Coordinates of all heavy atoms in Angstrom, one line a residue:
M255 N -88.8 -1.1 109.3 CA -88.2 -2.2 109.9 C -88.3 -3.5 109.1 O -87.4 -4.2 108.9 CB -88.7 -2.5 111.3 CG -88.1 -3.7 112.0 SD -88.6 -4.1 113.6 CE -88.0 -2.7 114.5
R256 N -89.5 -3.6 108.5 CA -89.8 -4.8 107.6 C -88.8 -4.8 106.5 O -88.2 -5.9 106.2 CB -91.2 -4.7 107.1 CG -91.6 -5.9 106.2 CD -92.9 -5.7 105.5 NE -92.8 -4.5 104.6 CZ -93.8 -3.7 104.3 NH1 -95.0 -3.9 104.9 NH2 -93.6 -2.7 103.5
D257 N -88.6 -3.7 105.8 CA -87.7 -3.6 104.7 C -86.2 -3.9 105.1 O -85.5 -4.6 104.4 CB -87.7 -2.3 104.0 CG -89.1 -2.0 103.3 OD1 -89.8 -3.0 103.0 OD2 -89.4 -0.9 103.0
Q258 N -85.8 -3.4 106.3 CA -84.5 -3.6 106.8 C -84.3 -5.1 107.1 O -83.2 -5.7 106.8 CB -84.2 -2.8 108.0 CG -82.8 -2.8 108.4 CD -82.5 -1.8 109.5 OE1 -83.4 -1.1 110.0 NE2 -81.3 -1.8 110.0
L259 N -85.3 -5.7 107.7 CA -85.2 -7.2 107.9 C -85.1 -8.0 106.7 O -84.3 -8.9 106.6 CB -86.4 -7.6 108.8 CG -86.5 -9.0 109.3 CD1 -85.2 -9.4 110.1 CD2 -87.7 -9.2 110.1
R260 N -85.9 -7.6 105.7 CA -85.8 -8.3 104.4 C -84.4 -8.1 103.7 O -83.9 -9.1 103.2 CB -86.9 -7.7 103.4 CG -88.3 -8.2 103.7 CD -89.2 -7.7 102.7 NE -90.6 -8.2 103.0 CZ -91.7 -7.7 102.5 NH1 -91.6 -6.7 101.6 NH2 -92.8 -8.2 102.8
R261 N -83.9 -6.9 103.7 CA -82.6 -6.7 103.2 C -81.5 -7.5 103.8 O -80.7 -8.1 103.2 CB -82.2 -5.2 103.2 CG -82.9 -4.4 102.1 CD -82.3 -3.0 102.0 NE -82.4 -2.2 103.3 CZ -83.4 -1.5 103.6 NH1 -84.5 -1.4 102.9 NH2 -83.4 -0.9 104.8
A262 N -81.5 -7.5 105.2 CA -80.5 -8.3 105.9 C -80.7 -9.8 105.6 O -79.7 -10.5 105.5 CB -80.7 -8.0 107.4
S263 N -82.0 -10.3 105.6 CA -82.2 -11.7 105.3 C -81.7 -12.1 103.9 O -81.1 -13.2 103.7 CB -83.7 -12.0 105.4 OG -84.2 -11.8 106.7
V264 N -82.0 -11.3 102.9 CA -81.6 -11.6 101.6 C -80.1 -11.4 101.4 O -79.4 -12.2 100.6 CB -82.3 -10.6 100.6 CG1 -81.7 -10.7 99.2 CG2 -83.8 -10.9 100.5
S265 N -79.4 -10.6 102.2 CA -78.0 -10.4 102.2 C -77.2 -11.7 102.5 O -76.1 -11.9 102.0 CB -77.6 -9.3 103.1 OG -76.2 -9.1 103.2
V266 N -77.8 -12.5 103.4 CA -77.1 -13.7 103.8 C -76.8 -14.7 102.6 O -75.6 -14.9 102.3 CB -77.8 -14.5 104.9 CG1 -77.2 -15.8 105.3 CG2 -77.9 -13.6 106.2
P267 N -77.8 -15.2 101.9 CA -77.5 -16.1 100.8 C -76.8 -15.4 99.6 O -76.0 -16.0 98.9 CB -78.9 -16.7 100.4 CG -79.9 -15.6 100.9 CD -79.3 -15.0 102.1
T268 N -77.1 -14.1 99.4 CA -76.5 -13.5 98.3 C -75.0 -13.3 98.5 O -74.2 -13.4 97.6 CB -77.2 -12.2 97.9 OG1 -77.2 -11.3 99.0 CG2 -78.6 -12.4 97.4
N269 N -74.6 -13.0 99.7 CA -73.2 -12.9 100.0 C -72.5 -14.2 99.9 O -71.3 -14.3 99.5 CB -72.9 -12.2 101.4 CG -73.0 -10.7 101.3 OD1 -72.1 -10.1 100.6 ND2 -73.9 -10.1 101.9
I270 N -73.1 -15.3 100.4 CA -72.6 -16.6 100.3 C -72.3 -17.0 98.8 O -71.3 -17.4 98.4 CB -73.5 -17.7 100.9 CG1 -73.5 -17.5 102.4 CG2 -73.0 -19.1 100.6 CD1 -74.6 -18.2 103.2
A271 N -73.3 -16.7 98.0 CA -73.2 -17.0 96.5 C -72.2 -16.2 95.9 O -71.4 -16.7 95.1 CB -74.6 -16.8 95.9
E272 N -72.1 -14.9 96.2 CA -71.1 -14.0 95.6 C -69.7 -14.5 95.9 O -68.8 -14.5 95.1 CB -71.3 -12.6 96.0 CG -70.4 -11.6 95.2 CD -70.7 -10.2 95.5 OE1 -71.7 -9.8 96.1 OE2 -69.9 -9.4 95.0
G273 N -69.5 -14.8 97.2 CA -68.2 -15.2 97.6 C -67.8 -16.5 97.0 O -66.6 -16.7 96.6
F274 N -68.7 -17.4 96.8 CA -68.4 -18.7 96.2 C -68.0 -18.6 94.8 O -67.1 -19.2 94.3 CB -69.7 -19.6 96.3 CG -69.4 -21.0 95.7 CD1 -68.7 -22.0 96.4 CD2 -69.9 -21.3 94.5 CE1 -68.5 -23.2 95.9 CE2 -69.7 -22.6 93.9 CZ -69.0 -23.5 94.6
E275 N -68.6 -17.6 94.1 CA -68.3 -17.4 92.7 C -67.0 -16.7 92.5 O -66.5 -16.7 91.3 CB -69.4 -16.6 92.0 CG -70.7 -17.3 91.8 CD -70.6 -18.5 90.9 OE1 -69.9 -18.4 89.8 OE2 -71.1 -19.6 91.2
R276 N -66.4 -16.2 93.5 CA -65.1 -15.5 93.4 C -63.9 -16.4 93.1 O -62.9 -16.1 92.7 CB -64.8 -14.6 94.6 CG -65.8 -13.5 94.8 CD -65.7 -12.5 93.7 NE -66.6 -11.4 93.9 CZ -66.3 -10.2 94.3 NH1 -65.1 -9.8 94.4 NH2 -67.3 -9.3 94.4
H277 N -64.1 -17.7 93.4 CA -63.1 -18.7 93.2 C -61.8 -18.5 93.9 O -60.7 -18.8 93.5 CB -62.8 -19.0 91.7 CG -64.0 -19.5 91.0 ND1 -64.6 -20.7 91.2 CD2 -64.9 -18.9 90.1 CE1 -65.7 -20.8 90.5 NE2 -65.8 -19.7 89.8
S278 N -61.9 -17.8 95.1 CA -60.7 -17.6 95.9 C -61.2 -17.8 97.4 O -62.2 -17.3 97.8 CB -60.3 -16.1 95.8 OG -59.5 -15.7 96.9
R279 N -60.4 -18.7 98.1 CA -60.8 -19.0 99.4 C -60.8 -17.8 100.3 O -61.7 -17.6 101.1 CB -59.8 -20.0 100.0 CG -60.1 -21.4 99.5 CD -59.2 -22.4 100.3 NE -59.4 -23.7 99.9 CZ -60.3 -24.6 100.4 NH1 -61.0 -24.2 101.3 NH2 -60.4 -25.8 99.9
K280 N -59.9 -16.9 100.1 CA -59.9 -15.7 101.0 C -61.1 -14.8 100.7 O -61.7 -14.2 101.6 CB -58.6 -14.9 100.8 CG -57.4 -15.6 101.5 CD -56.2 -14.8 101.5 CE -55.1 -15.6 102.3 NZ -53.9 -14.8 102.5
E281 N -61.4 -14.6 99.5 CA -62.6 -13.8 99.1 C -63.9 -14.5 99.6 O -64.8 -13.9 100.2 CB -62.7 -13.5 97.6 CG -61.7 -12.5 97.2 CD -62.0 -12.1 95.7 OE1 -61.5 -12.8 94.9 OE2 -62.7 -11.0 95.6
Y282 N -64.0 -15.8 99.4 CA -65.1 -16.6 99.9 C -65.3 -16.4 101.4 O -66.4 -16.1 101.9 CB -65.0 -18.0 99.5 CG -66.1 -18.9 99.9 CD1 -67.5 -18.5 99.7 CD2 -65.9 -20.2 100.4 CE1 -68.5 -19.4 100.1 CE2 -67.0 -21.0 100.8 CZ -68.3 -20.6 100.6 OH -69.3 -21.4 100.9
L283 N -64.2 -16.5 102.1 CA -64.2 -16.3 103.6 C -64.7 -14.9 103.9 O -65.5 -14.8 104.9 CB -62.7 -16.5 104.1 CG -62.5 -16.5 105.6 CD1 -63.4 -17.5 106.3 CD2 -61.1 -16.6 105.9
N284 N -64.2 -13.9 103.2 CA -64.7 -12.6 103.5 C -66.2 -12.4 103.3 O -66.9 -11.9 104.2 CB -64.0 -11.6 102.5 CG -64.4 -10.1 102.8 OD1 -64.3 -9.7 103.9 ND2 -64.7 -9.4 101.8
F285 N -66.7 -13.0 102.3 CA -68.2 -12.9 102.0 C -68.9 -13.8 103.1 O -70.1 -13.4 103.4 CB -68.5 -13.3 100.6 CG -68.3 -12.2 99.6 CD1 -67.1 -12.1 99.0 CD2 -69.3 -11.3 99.4 CE1 -66.9 -11.1 98.1 CE2 -69.1 -10.2 98.5 CZ -67.9 -10.1 97.8
L286 N -68.4 -14.9 103.5 CA -69.0 -15.7 104.6 C -69.1 -14.8 105.9 O -70.1 -14.9 106.6 CB -68.3 -17.0 104.9 CG -68.4 -18.1 103.8 CD1 -67.5 -19.3 104.2 CD2 -69.8 -18.5 103.6
N287 N -68.1 -14.1 106.2 CA -68.1 -13.2 107.3 C -69.1 -12.1 107.2 O -69.8 -11.8 108.2 CB -66.7 -12.6 107.6 CG -65.8 -13.6 108.3 OD1 -66.1 -14.0 109.4 ND2 -64.7 -14.0 107.7
I288 N -69.3 -11.6 106.0 CA -70.3 -10.6 105.8 C -71.7 -11.2 106.0 O -72.6 -10.6 106.6 CB -70.2 -9.9 104.4 CG1 -68.9 -9.1 104.3 CG2 -71.4 -9.1 104.0 CD1 -68.5 -8.7 102.9
A289 N -71.9 -12.4 105.4 CA -73.2 -13.1 105.6 C -73.5 -13.4 107.1 O -74.6 -13.2 107.5 CB -73.1 -14.4 104.8
K290 N -72.4 -13.7 107.8 CA -72.6 -14.0 109.2 C -73.0 -12.7 110.0 O -73.9 -12.7 110.9 CB -71.4 -14.6 109.9 CG -71.6 -15.1 111.3 CD -70.5 -16.0 111.7 CE -70.6 -16.4 113.1 NZ -71.6 -15.9 114.0
G291 N -72.4 -11.6 109.6 CA -72.8 -10.3 110.1 C -74.2 -10.0 109.8 O -75.0 -9.5 110.7
S292 N -74.7 -10.3 108.6 CA -76.1 -10.0 108.3 C -77.0 -10.9 109.1 O -78.1 -10.5 109.5 CB -76.3 -10.3 106.8 OG -75.6 -9.4 106.0
A293 N -76.6 -12.2 109.4 CA -77.4 -13.0 110.2 C -77.5 -12.4 111.6 O -78.6 -12.5 112.2 CB -76.8 -14.4 110.3
G294 N -76.5 -11.8 112.1 CA -76.5 -11.1 113.4 C -77.5 -9.9 113.3 O -78.2 -9.7 114.3
E295 N -77.5 -9.2 112.2 CA -78.4 -8.1 112.1 C -79.8 -8.6 112.1 O -80.7 -8.0 112.7 CB -78.1 -7.4 110.7 CG -79.0 -6.2 110.5 CD -78.7 -5.5 109.2 OE1 -77.7 -5.9 108.5 OE2 -79.4 -4.5 109.0
V296 N -80.1 -9.8 111.4 CA -81.4 -10.3 111.4 C -81.9 -10.7 112.9 O -83.0 -10.4 113.3 CB -81.5 -11.6 110.5 CG1 -82.8 -12.3 110.7 CG2 -81.3 -11.2 109.1
R297 N -81.0 -11.3 113.6 CA -81.3 -11.6 115.0 C -81.6 -10.4 115.8 O -82.6 -10.3 116.6 CB -80.1 -12.3 115.7 CG -79.9 -13.8 115.2 CD -79.0 -14.6 116.1 NE -77.8 -13.9 116.5 CZ -76.6 -14.0 115.8 NH1 -76.6 -14.7 114.6 NH2 -75.6 -13.4 116.2
S298 N -80.9 -9.3 115.6 CA -81.1 -8.1 116.3 C -82.5 -7.5 115.9 O -83.2 -7.0 116.8 CB -80.0 -7.1 116.0 OG -80.3 -5.8 116.6
L299 N -82.8 -7.5 114.7 CA -84.0 -6.9 114.2 C -85.2 -7.8 114.7 O -86.3 -7.2 115.0 CB -84.0 -6.8 112.7 CG -83.1 -5.7 112.1 CD1 -82.9 -5.9 110.6 CD2 -83.6 -4.3 112.4
L300 N -85.0 -9.1 114.7 CA -86.1 -9.9 115.3 C -86.4 -9.5 116.7 O -87.6 -9.5 117.1 CB -85.7 -11.4 115.2 CG -85.7 -12.0 113.8 CD1 -85.2 -13.4 113.8 CD2 -87.1 -12.0 113.1
R301 N -85.4 -9.3 117.5 CA -85.5 -8.9 118.9 C -86.3 -7.6 119.0 O -87.2 -7.5 119.8 CB -84.2 -8.9 119.6 CG -84.3 -8.6 121.1 CD -85.0 -9.7 121.8 NE -85.3 -9.3 123.1 CZ -85.8 -10.1 124.0 NH1 -86.0 -11.4 123.7 NH2 -86.1 -9.7 125.2
V302 N -85.9 -6.7 118.2 CA -86.6 -5.4 118.2 C -88.1 -5.6 117.8 O -89.0 -5.0 118.5 CB -85.9 -4.3 117.3 CG1 -86.7 -3.1 117.1 CG2 -84.5 -4.0 117.8
A303 N -88.3 -6.4 116.8 CA -89.7 -6.6 116.4 C -90.5 -7.3 117.5 O -91.7 -6.9 117.7 CB -89.7 -7.5 115.1
L304 N -89.9 -8.1 118.3 CA -90.6 -8.7 119.4 C -90.9 -7.7 120.5 O -92.0 -7.6 121.0 CB -89.7 -9.8 120.0 CG -90.3 -10.5 121.3 CD1 -91.5 -11.3 121.1 CD2 -89.2 -11.3 122.0
E305 N -89.9 -6.9 120.8 CA -90.0 -5.9 121.8 C -91.1 -4.8 121.5 O -91.8 -4.4 122.4 CB -88.7 -5.2 122.1 CG -87.6 -6.0 122.7 CD -87.9 -6.5 124.1 OE1 -88.5 -5.8 124.8 OE2 -87.5 -7.6 124.4
V306 N -91.2 -4.5 120.2 CA -92.2 -3.4 119.9 C -93.6 -4.0 119.5 O -94.5 -3.3 119.2 CB -91.7 -2.5 118.8 CG1 -90.5 -1.7 119.2 CG2 -91.5 -3.2 117.5
G307 N -93.7 -5.4 119.6 CA -95.0 -6.0 119.4 C -95.3 -6.4 117.9 O -96.4 -6.8 117.6
Y308 N -94.3 -6.4 117.0 CA -94.5 -6.8 115.7 C -94.5 -8.3 115.5 O -95.1 -8.8 114.6 CB -93.5 -6.2 114.7 CG -93.5 -4.7 114.6 CD1 -92.4 -4.0 114.1 CD2 -94.7 -3.9 114.9 CE1 -92.5 -2.6 113.9 CE2 -94.7 -2.6 114.8 CZ -93.6 -1.9 114.3 OH -93.6 -0.5 114.1
L309 N -93.9 -9.0 116.4 CA -93.8 -10.4 116.4 C -94.3 -11.0 117.8 O -94.1 -10.3 118.8 CB -92.4 -10.9 116.3 CG -91.8 -11.0 114.9 CD1 -90.3 -11.5 115.0 CD2 -92.5 -11.9 114.0
N310 N -95.0 -12.1 117.7 CA -95.4 -12.7 119.0 C -94.2 -13.6 119.4 O -93.3 -13.9 118.6 CB -96.7 -13.5 118.9 CG -96.6 -14.6 117.9 OD1 -95.6 -15.3 117.7 ND2 -97.7 -14.8 117.1
Q311 N -94.2 -14.1 120.6 CA -93.1 -14.9 121.2 C -92.9 -16.1 120.4 O -91.7 -16.5 120.2 CB -93.4 -15.2 122.7 CG -92.2 -15.9 123.4 CD -91.0 -15.1 123.4 OE1 -91.0 -13.9 123.9 NE2 -89.8 -15.6 123.0
S312 N -93.9 -16.8 120.0 CA -93.8 -18.1 119.3 C -93.1 -17.9 117.9 O -92.2 -18.6 117.6 CB -95.2 -18.7 119.1 OG -95.1 -19.8 118.2
S313 N -93.5 -16.9 117.2 CA -92.9 -16.6 115.9 C -91.4 -16.2 116.1 O -90.5 -16.6 115.4 CB -93.6 -15.5 115.2 OG -94.9 -15.9 114.8
Y314 N -91.2 -15.3 117.1 CA -89.8 -14.9 117.4 C -88.9 -16.1 117.7 O -87.8 -16.2 117.2 CB -89.8 -13.9 118.6 CG -88.4 -13.6 119.1 CD1 -87.6 -12.8 118.4 CD2 -88.0 -14.3 120.2 CE1 -86.3 -12.5 118.9 CE2 -86.7 -14.1 120.7 CZ -85.9 -13.2 120.1 OH -84.6 -13.0 120.5
T315 N -89.4 -17.0 118.6 CA -88.6 -18.1 119.0 C -88.3 -19.0 117.8 O -87.1 -19.4 117.6 CB -89.3 -18.9 120.0 OG1 -89.6 -18.1 121.2 CG2 -88.6 -20.2 120.5
Q316 N -89.2 -19.2 116.9 CA -89.0 -20.1 115.7 C -88.0 -19.4 114.8 O -87.0 -20.1 114.3 CB -90.3 -20.3 115.0 CG -90.1 -21.2 113.8 CD -91.5 -21.4 113.0 OE1 -92.5 -20.8 113.4 NE2 -91.4 -22.3 112.1
L317 N -88.2 -18.2 114.5 CA -87.3 -17.5 113.5 C -85.9 -17.3 114.1 O -84.9 -17.5 113.4 CB -87.9 -16.1 113.2 CG -89.2 -16.1 112.4 CD1 -89.8 -14.8 112.3 CD2 -88.9 -16.6 111.0
Y318 N -85.8 -17.0 115.4 CA -84.5 -16.8 116.1 C -83.7 -18.1 116.0 O -82.5 -18.1 115.8 CB -84.7 -16.3 117.5 CG -83.4 -15.9 118.2 CD1 -82.9 -14.6 118.0 CD2 -82.7 -16.8 118.9 CE1 -81.7 -14.3 118.6 CE2 -81.5 -16.5 119.5 CZ -81.0 -15.2 119.4 OH -79.8 -14.8 120.0
S319 N -84.4 -19.2 116.3 CA -83.8 -20.5 116.3 C -83.2 -20.8 114.9 O -82.1 -21.4 114.8 CB -84.8 -21.6 116.7 OG -84.3 -22.9 116.6
Q320 N -84.0 -20.5 113.9 CA -83.5 -20.8 112.5 C -82.3 -19.9 112.1 O -81.4 -20.5 111.5 CB -84.7 -20.5 111.5 CG -85.8 -21.6 111.6 CD -87.0 -21.2 110.8 OE1 -87.2 -20.1 110.4 NE2 -87.9 -22.2 110.6
V321 N -82.3 -18.7 112.5 CA -81.2 -17.8 112.2 C -80.0 -18.2 113.0 O -78.8 -18.1 112.5 CB -81.5 -16.3 112.2 CG1 -81.6 -15.8 113.6 CG2 -80.6 -15.5 111.4
M322 N -80.2 -18.7 114.2 CA -79.0 -19.2 115.0 C -78.4 -20.4 114.4 O -77.2 -20.5 114.4 CB -79.5 -19.5 116.4 CG -79.6 -18.2 117.3 SD -78.1 -17.3 117.4 CE -77.0 -18.4 118.3
E323 N -79.2 -21.3 113.9 CA -78.7 -22.5 113.2 C -77.9 -22.1 112.0 O -76.8 -22.6 111.7 CB -79.8 -23.4 112.8 CG -79.4 -24.7 112.1 CD -78.5 -25.6 112.9 OE1 -78.4 -25.5 114.1 OE2 -77.8 -26.4 112.2
L324 N -78.4 -21.1 111.2 CA -77.7 -20.6 110.0 C -76.4 -20.0 110.4 O -75.3 -20.3 109.8 CB -78.6 -19.6 109.3 CG -77.9 -18.9 108.1 CD1 -77.5 -19.9 107.0 CD2 -78.8 -17.9 107.6
S325 N -76.4 -19.2 111.5 CA -75.2 -18.6 112.0 C -74.1 -19.7 112.4 O -72.9 -19.5 112.1 CB -75.5 -17.7 113.1 OG -74.4 -16.9 113.5
R326 N -74.6 -20.7 113.1 CA -73.7 -21.8 113.5 C -73.1 -22.5 112.2 O -71.9 -22.8 112.2 CB -74.4 -22.8 114.3 CG -74.5 -22.4 115.8 CD -75.0 -23.6 116.7 NE -76.4 -23.9 116.4 CZ -77.4 -23.3 117.0 NH1 -77.2 -22.3 117.9 NH2 -78.7 -23.6 116.7
M327 N -73.9 -22.7 111.2 CA -73.4 -23.3 110.0 C -72.3 -22.4 109.3 O -71.3 -22.9 108.9 CB -74.5 -23.6 109.0 CG -75.4 -24.8 109.5 SD -76.6 -25.3 108.2 CE -77.8 -24.1 108.3
L328 N -72.6 -21.1 109.3 CA -71.6 -20.2 108.7 C -70.3 -20.2 109.6 O -69.2 -20.2 109.0 CB -72.2 -18.8 108.7 CG -73.3 -18.6 107.6 CD1 -74.0 -17.2 107.8 CD2 -72.6 -18.6 106.2
S329 N -70.4 -20.2 110.9 CA -69.3 -20.3 111.7 C -68.4 -21.5 111.5 O -67.2 -21.5 111.4 CB -69.6 -20.3 113.2 OG -70.1 -19.0 113.6
N330 N -69.1 -22.7 111.3 CA -68.4 -23.9 111.0 C -67.7 -23.8 109.7 O -66.5 -24.3 109.6 CB -69.4 -25.1 111.0 CG -69.9 -25.4 112.4 OD1 -69.2 -25.1 113.4 ND2 -71.0 -26.1 112.5
Q331 N -68.3 -23.3 108.7 CA -67.7 -23.1 107.4 C -66.5 -22.2 107.4 O -65.5 -22.5 106.9 CB -68.7 -22.6 106.4 CG -68.2 -22.6 104.9 CD -68.0 -23.9 104.3 OE1 -68.6 -24.9 104.8 NE2 -67.2 -24.0 103.3
I332 N -66.6 -21.1 108.2 CA -65.6 -20.1 108.3 C -64.4 -20.8 109.0 O -63.2 -20.7 108.6 CB -66.0 -18.9 109.1 CG1 -67.0 -18.1 108.2 CG2 -64.9 -18.0 109.5 CD1 -67.8 -17.0 108.9
Q333 N -64.7 -21.5 110.1 CA -63.6 -22.3 110.8 C -62.9 -23.3 109.9 O -61.6 -23.3 109.9 CB -64.2 -23.0 112.0 CG -63.9 -22.4 113.3 CD -64.5 -23.3 114.4 OE1 -65.3 -24.1 114.3 NE2 -64.0 -23.0 115.6
S334 N -63.6 -24.0 109.1 CA -63.1 -25.0 108.2 C -62.1 -24.3 107.2 O -61.0 -24.8 107.0 CB -64.2 -25.7 107.6 OG -63.7 -26.7 106.6
I335 N -62.6 -23.3 106.6 CA -61.8 -22.6 105.6 C -60.5 -22.0 106.3 O -59.4 -22.1 105.7 CB -62.6 -21.5 104.9 CG1 -63.6 -22.2 104.0 CG2 -61.7 -20.6 104.1 CD1 -64.6 -21.2 103.4
N336 N -60.7 -21.4 107.5 CA -59.5 -20.8 108.2 C -58.5 -21.9 108.4 O -57.3 -21.6 108.3 CB -59.9 -20.2 109.5 CG -60.4 -18.7 109.3 OD1 -60.0 -18.0 108.4 ND2 -61.3 -18.3 110.1
Q337 N -58.9 -23.1 108.8 CA -57.9 -24.2 109.1 C -57.3 -24.6 107.8 O -56.1 -25.0 107.8 CB -58.7 -25.3 109.8 CG -59.1 -25.0 111.2 CD -59.9 -26.1 111.9 OE1 -60.3 -27.0 111.2 NE2 -60.2 -25.8 113.1
S338 N -58.0 -24.6 106.7 CA -57.4 -25.1 105.5 C -56.4 -24.1 104.8 O -55.5 -24.4 104.1 CB -58.5 -25.4 104.4 OG -59.1 -24.3 103.9
I339 N -56.6 -22.8 105.2 CA -55.7 -21.8 104.7 C -54.3 -21.8 105.4 O -53.3 -21.5 104.8 CB -56.3 -20.4 104.8 CG1 -57.5 -20.2 103.9 CG2 -55.3 -19.3 104.5 CD1 -58.3 -19.0 104.0
K340 N -54.3 -22.2 106.6 CA -53.1 -22.2 107.4 C -52.1 -23.2 107.0 O -52.2 -24.1 106.4 CB -53.4 -22.4 108.9 CG -54.2 -21.2 109.5 CD -54.6 -21.5 110.9 CE -55.4 -20.3 111.4 NZ -55.8 -20.5 112.8

């Protein structure tokens, strides 16, 4: 589980970076959506870690809050790009 959580966490910024380097709004948008999906995977894995006792409630709450904020920022960026493409 630890390795899967690490992979999903690292996937978020690497997909953002890869999409940005593509120099195409549509490709960037695609990679932002992949990054957002990875953020969702992180949230899910955090919940599982809490349920099985790998995380205490305080750590879970802090980490979950941070990944939710990241997810909101990704959503805002995706919305902004979608509006500019139209």
Side-chain angles (χ1 to χ4, degrees):
M255 179 180 293
R256 179 189 67 213
D257 291 339
Q258 190 173 358
L259 185 55
R260 282 181 180 164
R261 281 191 302 272
S263 297
V264 169
S265 177
V266 174
T268 55
N269 276 296
I270 294 167
E272 185 173 353
F274 182 78
E275 289 297 318
R276 296 293 178 111
H277 298 292
S278 159
R279 283 189 182 267
K280 286 188 178 187
E281 282 188 280
Y282 183 42
L283 184 61
N284 182 50
F285 279 93
L286 287 176
N287 278 300
I288 293 168
K290 189 164 178 352
S292 293
E295 183 179 358
V296 170
R297 287 194 313 270
S298 174
L299 290 167
L300 288 174
R301 184 65 191 186
V302 171
L304 174 68
E305 294 293 327
V306 298
Y308 293 161
L309 280 178
N310 62 39
Q311 184 65 49
S312 175
S313 295
Y314 168 79
T315 300
Q316 180 182 10
L317 292 168
Y318 188 87
S319 175
Q320 290 172 344
V321 76
M322 280 302 296
E323 177 63 20
L324 175 61
S325 191
R326 278 191 290 276
M327 288 189 284
L328 287 167
S329 287
N330 290 339
Q331 185 69 22
I332 289 166
Q333 255 184 340
S334 176
I335 292 171
N336 276 331
Q337 289 173 356
S338 71
I339 291 175
K340 293 179 181 178

